[in-house]
Amino acid sequence: MRNKSKTTAFMGLFTALALILAYVEVLLPPLFASLPGIKMGLPNIILVFLLYRRSACSAIVVSLLRIALVTMLFGNVMALLYSLAGGILSLVVMILLRRWNVLSTVGVSVAGGVAHNVGQILMAMLLLETAELGFYLVVLTVAGTLAGVFVGLCGSALIRKIPANFLFLDK
Amino acid sequence: MMKQKNVNKRHLRNDILLIIVLLLVAATGAAYLFLFRGFGDVVKVTVDGELYGVYSLSQDRTEDISTGEDGRQLNRLVIREGKAFIQTATCPDGICAAHRAIFRNGESIVCLPHGVVVTVTTAQTQGEPDVVV
Ligand SMILES: [Zn+2]
C-alpha cells in the first residue's frame, strides 16, 4: 500500500504542522527569559506522535525538515546550530527510550525536552567558549521537564484519539 | 489486558521517577550554585570567548560593551548596589536586557547574538594583569 507520493504527502503535512507549532511558540511569551531558542518545544508534540504511530525515521525527517525550513525562512546560521544540537540530541534520546520501553509517552517526552535544552547549552558553551553556563543548565532542566510533561500529555492524547487508518498512518 | 495495565503502571512509575530524578539534579545544581559558591566580587565580561574586561561589583558603574565589526553592537552593563545587569542592548532578542541582576558566584547573563557573556566570579580567580577594577 505504501508508495512514494503518499509518503511525500504525509511528510509534507506533518512538517507543516511542526512548522505551525514552532510559529505558535514564537507568538507565546517566553517561559523563561534566558537563552534564545529555549522554548516549550511544541513541535515536539508532532515528533512524539510520529515516533509512536509511524516510525523513528519519519520523526527524524520531519525534525530536520522543520529546522531547515525555519533556517531558510528566518535565515540565521547561529540559530541553526542551536536548533540542530538540541533537535538531534533530543530525538536520539527519545528514539532510544522508545526502544527501551520503560517509560510512557510523557516520560519519553520529558527526557526529550531536557535533552533538547542540554544540547543547546552544550552548543552555547562550545560557541561562546565558556564553561560558565551552569546556572542555565539548572533553569533549563526544570523548564525542559515541565515542558516535556505538557508535550507528552498532548502527544499521548493525539496517539490515543487519532484512528489507525487516519491519513497514511497505517502505511 | 491485565498485562497491559501492569505495563502502563510500571511506565507511570518510571515516568514519575525520571521527573523526580531530574528535579533533584536541578535542585542539587541550584544548591551548589547558590549555597556553596557564595557571592562573587567581580564580573568578568567575555566576547566570543575572549576577555573583554573585569569589573568590581563593589563600585557602581556603567560600561558600554561594544562588539561587532564596526563596534555598533552595544550592551550597556550596569553595576549597582553589588549587582550587575544589562540595562539596554541593541541585540534583536533583548533577552540579555530582560535577565534579572546577577551577583552570586557563577551566575551569568548571556547575549547570544553579540557573543557576550557576563559572569560573576571572584577577584582571586582573575589574576590577569590587564584587569580593570
Ligand atoms: Zn542580547
Side-chain angles (χ1 to χ4, degrees):
Chain A
M1 271 308 282
R2 190 177 188 178
N3 62 46
K4 225 177 171 180
S5 50
K6 267 188 180 176
T7 307
T8 309
F10 180 90
M11 290 302 176
L13 179 75
F14 278 86
T15 305
L17 277 173
L19 257 184
I20 290 168
L21 287 179
Y23 182 65
V24 166
E25 193 167 68
V26 174
L27 299 180
L28 294 173
L31 209 55
F32 291 93
S34 50
L35 288 169
I38 284 144
K39 305 188 190 88
M40 291 274 292
L42 292 181
N44 229 7
I45 296 173
I46 300 297
L47 301 184
V48 168
F49 177 76
L50 287 175
L51 199 56
Y52 276 84
R53 290 297 296 276
R54 195 163 158 122
S55 62
C57 187
S58 65
I60 294 170
V61 170
V62 166
S63 174
L64 292 181
L65 274 178
R66 181 188 71 82
I67 292 170
L69 281 171
V70 167
T71 309
M72 273 187 245
L73 287 172
F74 307 107
N76 185 337
V77 180
M78 283 286 271
L80 170 71
L81 290 175
Y82 290 106
S83 302
L84 279 178
I88 291 172
L89 190 64
S90 149
L91 257 183
V92 167
V93 165
M94 292 202 296
I95 289 169
L96 291 179
L97 285 175
R98 162 101 170 92
R99 288 255 164 90
W100 197 20
N101 196 27
V102 289
L103 297 167
S104 81
T105 330
V106 174
V108 168
S109 114
V110 163
V114 172
H116 186 262
N117 290 347
V118 168
Q120 295 200 323
I121 291 290
L122 292 180
M123 184 53 87
M125 284 179 169
L126 206 72
L127 290 180
L128 299 174
E129 294 171 43
T130 175
E132 290 147 339
L133 295 176
F135 177 76
Y136 284 104
L137 269 179
V138 169
V139 174
L140 292 168
T141 301
V142 178
T145 304
L146 297 180
V149 170
F150 177 75
V151 165
L153 289 175
C154 290
S156 70
L158 281 182
I159 291 162
R160 266 185 289 116
K161 295 269 159 67
I162 292 182
N165 58 356
F166 177 75
L167 289 172
F168 314 117
L169 270 179
D170 50 354
K171 299 172 192 178
Chain B
M1 270 286 100
M2 199 57 211
K3 209 172 173 193
Q4 185 58 39
K5 223 175 207 171
N6 284 338
V7 168
N8 287 346
K9 223 184 221 169
R10 188 165 51 91
H11 282 183
L12 182 69
R13 196 197 58 205
N14 290 340
D15 283 358
I16 293 170
L17 242 125
L18 174 71
I19 292 171
I20 291 174
V21 166
L22 285 172
L23 293 180
L24 273 180
V25 167
T28 312
Y32 170 72
L33 285 175
F34 290 151
L35 300 176
F36 302 116
R37 292 185 73 175
F39 302 102
D41 43 20
V42 294
V43 282
K44 182 176 75 169
V45 178
T46 60
V47 178
D48 293 325
E50 271 165 47
L51 186 69
Y52 181 95
V54 178
Y55 310 100
S56 169
L57 273 176
S58 53
Q59 211 168 9
D60 288 5
R61 70 181 292 155
T62 301
E63 182 71 29
D64 283 328
I65 303 161
S66 69
T67 49
E69 263 158 40
D70 46 7
R72 272 197 297 181
Q73 299 180 345
L74 285 181
N75 294 74
R76 175 164 291 170
L77 172 73
V78 173
I79 295 173
R80 195 180 291 160
E81 294 166 3
K83 296 182 181 185
F85 58 96
I86 302 288
Q87 191 176 51
T88 54
T90 56
C91 59
D93 57 42
I95 283 170
C96 55
H99 201 289
R100 60 188 178 72
I102 55 172
F103 56 98
R104 292 184 183 89
N105 193 9
E107 270 189 300
S108 52
I109 300 177
V110 176
C111 180
L112 278 186
H114 295 175
V116 173
V117 180
V118 181
T119 308
V120 179
T121 179
T122 52
Q124 302 98 278
T125 60
Q126 298 301 317
E128 291 94 348
D130 57 337
V131 159
V132 191
V133 178

